[in-house]
């Protein structure tokens, strides 16, 4: 099976992935491993024993599966020194809006200082050539406007999670201008750094708390009605492989032209995938084959944005990237993983889904 649509850009390359035990990180590690990369994963313990990372067994296949906290600068520098990565994908984060209200300080320590620590470890490691820093669509100052945010719009954020990601983007800009300036490439440094922002990512193997798909699946497996707390909230939904394909394409282009892509990039879904939480939950239930929904919205709940969209024109025209799946296929692939995870070899299922995605 051939999952390489990147012209061998990662074959034989030493690639470090932070957050590889997480939802997106596990899928990225699987794909990179199939592309022939020597993957070094740095992350905390997986959230549950049903996570995609655990069930796929990718930790046993990659070059190194390391438990470490990105808030520990010395540990990060030591790992970079030992494994000498050429390419870095930084995904490790505290990724939950509602949890950020409970642990705001830890959220900032992880998302801001953790990101700075990765850039510092890269800065002091002469093997590093490319760094792709993953943030979120929620990094923008959300005015709940009806058109998508472009990469040059102001950063911000209402809740601690969103604002921490906005702050991380400001730090990335600063480090790029101060230490990784494209004008100084080849003279003062040899690192190209970019940031990437995606929408609400769904797919198999995510069991995080307060996310719509894991919430749906937990209820369905327990034969309970699925309770929807923000049924009218509009989100840019996308299957996990969509933004990952963007991150990989971006890194491959940065190899070819190191100074041309050192900026922020949006990787959002097709326009039909910008829809309500209720619609997505309905499609998951439909493809899963059973279940009912119930509106349990609460006006006293912590604030979450109701409307958020990304403009992906730049990625389309400058990178040649565009989403491959619509909302129906996105939900179908997601439901398929959860229907099969107790019966099928999950690593093989992930590879099958990657192959079907890139056809």
């Amino acid at each position: 099976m051939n999952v390489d649509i990147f012209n061998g850009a990662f074959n034989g390359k030493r690639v470090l992935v932070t957050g590889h035990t997480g939802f997106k990180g596990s899928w990225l590690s699987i794909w990179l491993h199939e592309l022939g990369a020597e993957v070094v994963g740095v992350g905390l313990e997986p959230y549950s024993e049903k996570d995609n990372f655990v069930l796929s067994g990718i930790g046993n296949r990659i070059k190194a599966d390391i438990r470490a906290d990105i808030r520990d600068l010395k540990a990060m520098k030591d790992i970079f020194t030992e494994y000498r990565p050429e390419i870095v994908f930084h995904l490790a984060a505290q990724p939950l809006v509602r949890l950020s209200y409970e642990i705001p300080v830890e959220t900032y320590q992880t998302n801001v200082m953790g990101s700075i620590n990765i850039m510092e470890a890269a800065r002091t490691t002469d093997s590093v050539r490319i760094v792709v820093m993953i943030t979120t669509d929620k990094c923008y100052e959300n005015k709940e406007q009806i058109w998508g945010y472009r990469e040059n719009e102001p950063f911000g954020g209402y809740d601690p999670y969103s604002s921490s990601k906005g702050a991380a983007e400001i730090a990335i800009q600063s480090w790029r201008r101060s230490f990784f300036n494209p004008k100084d490439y080849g003279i003062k440094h040899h690192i190209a750094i970019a940031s990437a922002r995606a929408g609400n990512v769904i797919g198999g193997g995510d069991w995080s708390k307060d996310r719509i798909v894991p919430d749906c699946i937990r209820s369905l497996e327990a034969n309970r009605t699925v309770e929807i707390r923000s049924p009218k909230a509009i989100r840019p939904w996308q299957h996990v492989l969509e933004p990952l394909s963007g991150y990989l394409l971006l890194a491959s282009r940065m190899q070819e032209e190191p100074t041309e892509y050192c900026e922020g990039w949006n990787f959002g879904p097709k326009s039909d995938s910008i829809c309500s939480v209720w619609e997505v939950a309905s499609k998951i239930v439909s493809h899963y084959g059973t279940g009912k929904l119930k509106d349990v919205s609460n006006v006293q709940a912590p604030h979450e944005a109701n409307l958020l969209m990304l403009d992906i024109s730049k990625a389309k025209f400058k990178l040649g990237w565009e989403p491959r799946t619509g909302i129906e296929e996105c939900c179908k692939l997601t439901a398929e993983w959860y229907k099969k995870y107790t019966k099928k070899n999950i690593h093989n299922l992930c590879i099958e889904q990657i192959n079907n995605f890139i056809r």
Side-chain angles (χ1 to χ4, degrees), residues 18-37:
T18 72
H20 74 300
T21 56
F23 167 47
K24 285 168 71 178
S26 66
W27 278 94
L28 180 60
S29 298
I30 290 168
W31 201 342
L32 281 166
H33 181 260
E34 288 300 303
L35 294 173

Side-chain angles (χ1 to χ4, degrees), residues 15 196 217 240:
V15 182
I217 300 302
V240 62

Side-chain angles (χ1 to χ4, degrees), residues 47 96-99 102 207-215 218 229 304:
Y47 181 74
L96 303 174
V97 172
R98 285 166 68 87
L99 182 59
E102 299 174 24
W207 295 98
S208 298
K209 188 181 177 186
D210 292 331
R211 280 189 180 156
I212 185 60
V213 170
D215 286 352
R218 278 188 282 265
R229 70 173 189 272
E304 292 188 67

Side-chain angles (χ1 to χ4, degrees), residues 23 200-208 210-220 226 228 237 277 280-281 284 330-331 334-335 337-338:
F23 167 47
N200 277 48
V201 178
I202 64 175
D206 181 13
W207 295 98
S208 298
D210 292 331
R211 280 189 180 156
I212 185 60
V213 170
D215 286 352
C216 281
I217 300 302
R218 278 188 282 265
S219 295
L220 295 173
V226 179
I228 309 295
W237 307 96
V277 171
V280 166
I284 292 292
C330 173
C331 292
T334 301
W337 191 100
Y338 289 102

Side-chain angles (χ1 to χ4, degrees), residues 5 7 9 20 22 28 37 78 83 136 193 211-212 250 254 268 315 331 350 358:
I5 53 174
N7 299 318
H20 74 300
L28 180 60
D78 288 347
Y83 291 97
T136 175
I193 184 168
R211 280 189 180 156
I212 185 60
L250 174 59
M254 291 166 75
C331 292
C350 291
I358 63 176

Side-chain angles (χ1 to χ4, degrees), residues 4 8 17 28 37 69 73 81 91 124 139 151 157 220 223 271 359:
D4 194 348
V17 178
L28 180 60
D69 194 320
L73 177 58
T81 298
L91 286 82
T124 55
C139 68
E151 287 87 345
L220 295 173
N223 293 314
S271 57
R359 277 182 191 144

Side-chain angles (χ1 to χ4, degrees), residues 6-236:
F6 309 104
N7 299 318
F10 302 98
N11 188 32
K13 291 288 194 302
R14 298 186 303 277
V15 182
L16 187 142
V17 178
T18 72
H20 74 300
T21 56
F23 167 47
K24 285 168 71 178
S26 66
W27 278 94
L28 180 60
S29 298
I30 290 168
W31 201 342
L32 281 166
H33 181 260
E34 288 300 303
L35 294 173
E38 294 182 10
V39 180
V40 174
V42 179
L44 302 178
E45 289 294 334
Y47 181 74
S48 86
E49 53 193 36
K50 296 194 291 186
D51 280 13
N52 189 55
F53 173 81
V54 178
L55 296 183
S56 68
I58 186 60
N60 298 320
R61 297 171 184 268
I62 60 177
K63 181 179 178 67
D65 171 22
I66 302 165
R67 297 291 171 273
D69 194 320
I70 60 170
R71 293 173 294 177
D72 185 339
L73 177 58
K74 182 180 184 303
M76 294 304 106
K77 285 185 173 181
D78 288 347
I79 290 165
F80 274 64
T81 298
E82 179 175 357
Y83 291 97
R84 298 185 54 73
E86 299 163 89
I87 302 169
V88 177
F89 290 97
H90 173 53
L91 286 82
Q94 193 299 92
L96 303 174
V97 172
R98 285 166 68 87
L99 182 59
S100 76
Y101 281 104
E102 299 174 24
I103 53 168
V105 175
E106 184 177 327
T107 297
Y108 257 72
Q109 289 170 336
T110 301
N111 295 349
V112 182
M113 289 310 303
S115 297
I116 288 171
N117 289 345
I118 295 303
M119 292 189 289
E120 279 295 277
R123 187 162 77 92
T124 55
T125 307
D126 61 11
S127 61
V128 177
R129 292 292 177 267
I130 293 162
V131 181
V132 179
M133 305 287 289
I134 312 306
T135 62
T136 175
D137 58 348
K138 296 175 184 64
C139 68
Y140 295 108
E141 179 63 50
N142 189 7
K143 301 177 178 68
E144 311 230 354
Q145 62 194 30
I146 60 171
W147 52 89
Y149 290 94
R150 295 177 179 173
E151 287 87 345
N152 59 356
E153 297 201 50
F155 301 125
Y158 182 107
D159 57 87
Y161 167 73
S162 303
S163 60
S164 73
K165 287 295 193 172
E169 282 282 5
I170 292 171
I172 294 164
Q173 278 188 352
S174 173
W175 258 250
R176 178 164 49 234
R177 290 166 178 163
S178 303
F179 308 114
F180 310 125
N181 199 308
K183 294 176 184 176
D184 299 326
Y185 187 87
I187 303 167
K188 295 182 179 179
H189 69 90
H190 293 87
I191 293 178
I193 184 168
S195 63
R197 306 143 194 174
N200 277 48
V201 178
I202 64 175
D206 181 13
W207 295 98
S208 298
K209 188 181 177 186
D210 292 331
R211 280 189 180 156
I212 185 60
V213 170
D215 286 352
C216 281
I217 300 302
R218 278 188 282 265
S219 295
L220 295 173
E221 289 186 340
N223 293 314
R224 295 194 309 263
T225 298
V226 179
E227 297 184 343
I228 309 295
R229 70 173 189 272
S230 303
K232 296 178 182 178
I234 306 293
R235 297 284 186 271

